[in-house]
Amino acid sequence: MDRTGLTPQEVTAVIQLRHQLHANPDLSGREAGTAARIREFLRPTAPAHILEGLGGAGLAVVYDSGQPGPRVMFRAELDALPIVEQTGLAHASCRAGTAHLCGHDGHMAILAGLGLWLEQNPPRAGQVVLLFQPAEETGEGARAVLEDPRFAALQPDWAFALHNMPGMEFGTLAVAPGVASCASVGLRVTLCGREAHAAQPETGHSPGAALASLIMALAPHSAAQPMGPGFRLATLCHLNMGTPAFGIAPAQAEVWITLRAYDDAGLEAFEAEIREVVARIGQGLSPQISRHDHFHASVNAAEAVDHVIRAQNAVGLAQGSFPMPMRPSEDFGAFSRKTRMALFFLGAGLDQPALHDPAYDFPDALIVPAVALFSQIQRQVQAG
Ligand SMILES: [Zn+2]
Ligand SMILES: [Zn+2]
């Protein structure tokens, strides 16, 4: 037995599961295979029930004391990324162009380990829900799970999730009340004029000048700025105009922009400003804007953060250094509007390649301390 209460054989089984998940990654929204693998791993741990197909391929594994008490949710993500892995590892992805380069395979293995622990240490009050959530990378999964009518019966009193963090000393933990990850949204702007002969562009209406004005209007928001309540960032992600033909002055243009702000209110104000800019520069070009990949800010509740810090001290994990909130978004933020939650960061090591880097691989040695931490949080919440 180690400090998680798992036997060496169980730790080995969880690490093997992590490698199987890593070798067989699924893209956002298509995670049925991954969910089935987790279901089969956790079925022998005798959960009260398993809910499948939540918000897509989502899986909720529920351990029930049969007594009144708090419902605690721990969450991991099912999805991988559309990137070609370059780790050269024995357990590297067998699916071309798809890879677990954000460590979601490790997060799932941690919850699987927690399931093994719950088999030996079932809740004495309330319930524990292990949620394996789909489509985190696109920002759609958490919302889809929350909107699934079957989720109402699982509405947690507490919700906890971790994300491993390369660049943070291995095994250290960072958590703070308030905003933990920024809000963001993708805007797809289309402009539509009228084609003309390239020799007579004045007879048509090209979106070229408007496109240039839009790019210039975004420029002041495109540089890095200090993190704080006024933080804003606009990143130009994709441009397209006309057709590749020298004889035609173009009619159509399309711009993809990601807006990011400190919190939900900041993002709402930023988006309203950019929409005004688009309406102004797009006059006569029927400007249209559609929203994509919207992430709420993740806002940590003080009481949930207290539980994480108490568990951190009990398990003996050092304080990690990590600037909060992080600029990237996390769709766990969707839960902060519904429940007391804490999202925290666990150091994956200073020399670890960055998240989404083709050479990244989740460090297996993080699994045991993370299971110990989550099981300690469960003990504390249950004790009240
Ligand atoms: Zn990611
Ligand atoms: Zn991630």
Side-chain angles (χ1 to χ4, degrees), residues 86-153:
Q86 294 172 25
T87 62
L89 291 164
H91 60 266
S93 171
C94 340
R95 297 196 179 142
T98 303
H100 270 298
L101 301 175
C102 203
H104 297 177
D105 51 340
H107 303 167
M108 287 186 272
I110 291 164
L111 287 209
L114 187 61
L116 296 179
W117 180 82
L118 284 163
E119 184 184 9
Q120 302 303 323
N121 303 271
R124 292 193 303 274
Q127 298 176 329
V128 178
V129 179
L130 305 183
L131 175 67
F132 297 86
Q133 179 217 296
E136 189 284 325
E137 295 288 356
T138 57
E140 288 163 7
R143 203 169 8 242
V145 166
L146 281 164
E147 285 170 2
D148 192 309
R150 292 172 302 156
F151 188 75

Side-chain angles (χ1 to χ4, degrees), residues 5-366:
L6 298 183
T7 63
Q9 292 77 13
E10 286 172 328
V11 172
T12 302
V14 170
I15 290 173
Q16 276 173 354
L17 172 69
R18 208 279 290 174
H19 292 183
Q20 287 164 6
L21 294 168
H22 191 95
N24 298 279
D26 289 317
L27 288 175
S28 308
R30 290 184 243 161
E31 307 98 334
T34 296
R37 202 177 288 272
I38 298 281
R39 183 192 65 216
E40 291 317 306
F41 187 91
L42 287 176
R43 202 195 288 280
T45 63
H49 53 274
I50 297 180
L51 242 86
E52 295 180 66
L54 269 179
L59 188 73
V61 183
V62 183
Y63 299 83
D64 190 353
S65 67
Q67 303 296 319
R71 186 180 291 124
V72 189
M73 190 181 88
F74 298 94
R75 172 275 211 168
E77 317 90 319
L78 289 162
D79 54 343
L81 289 155
I83 302 175
V84 177
E85 178 170 350
Q86 294 172 25
T87 62
L89 291 164
H91 60 266
S93 171
C94 340
R95 297 196 179 142
T98 303
H100 270 298
L101 301 175
C102 203
H104 297 177
D105 51 340
H107 303 167
M108 287 186 272
I110 291 164
L111 287 209
L114 187 61
L116 296 179
W117 180 82
L118 284 163
E119 184 184 9
Q120 302 303 323
N121 303 271
R124 292 193 303 274
Q127 298 176 329
V128 178
V129 179
L130 305 183
L131 175 67
F132 297 86
Q133 179 217 296
E136 189 284 325
E137 295 288 356
T138 57
E140 288 163 7
R143 203 169 8 242
V145 166
L146 281 164
E147 285 170 2
D148 192 309
R150 292 172 302 156
F151 188 75
L154 296 179
Q155 181 58 50
D157 301 298
W158 301 87
F160 298 92
L162 63 79
H163 208 295
N164 78 96
M165 199 47 70
M168 243 175 95
E169 208 165 314
F170 183 84
T172 61
L173 187 151
V175 67
V179 181
S181 65
C182 287
S184 68
V185 67
L187 298 184
R188 183 173 165 185
V189 179
T190 54
L191 301 171
C192 181
R194 185 181 169 81
E195 277 105 350
H197 195 291
Q200 289 159 325
E202 70 278 12
T203 64
H205 189 173
S206 165
L211 200 57
S213 301
L214 178 56
I215 292 167
M216 292 313 290
L218 293 173
H221 302 295
S222 298
Q225 47 187 306
M227 183 50 70
F231 173 80
R232 283 176 165 193
L233 188 65
T235 302
L236 194 59
C237 297
H238 174 71
L239 283 176
N240 186 19
M241 187 177 79
T243 47
F246 289 110
I248 304 170
Q252 310 284 343
E254 187 171 315
V255 187
W256 292 27
I257 310 158
T258 299
L259 303 183
R260 199 170 289 286
Y262 182 78
D263 57 11
D264 290 351
L267 184 66
E268 203 177 307
F270 192 20
E271 183 179 341
E273 276 180 36
I274 298 300
R275 282 177 178 270
E276 272 177 35
V277 170
V278 170
R280 194 174 67 245
I281 60 102
Q283 272 178 17
L285 291 163
S286 312
Q288 302 275 335
I289 301 179
S290 57
R291 299 175 99 241
H292 307 268
D293 293 23
H294 173 229
F295 290 79
H296 290 289
S298 297
V299 184
N300 283 346
E303 311 96 296
V305 168
D306 283 348
H307 272 305
V308 175
I309 293 172
R310 277 176 54 200
Q312 174 186 5
N313 293 333
V315 170
L317 297 181
Q319 182 61 41
S321 162
F322 184 69
M324 298 262 219
M326 67 166 181
R327 270 198 216 169
S329 303
E330 229 301 339
D331 85 343
F332 194 55
F335 291 102
S336 52
R337 302 155 72 84
K338 298 271 186 183
T339 186
R340 284 171 294 184
M341 62 152 263
L343 169 68
F344 57 94
F345 304 102
L346 210 51
L350 297 173
D351 298 331
Q352 179 75 10
L355 299 175
H356 297 200
D357 185 296
Y360 168 92
D361 184 47
F362 182 89
D364 286 321
L366 261 191

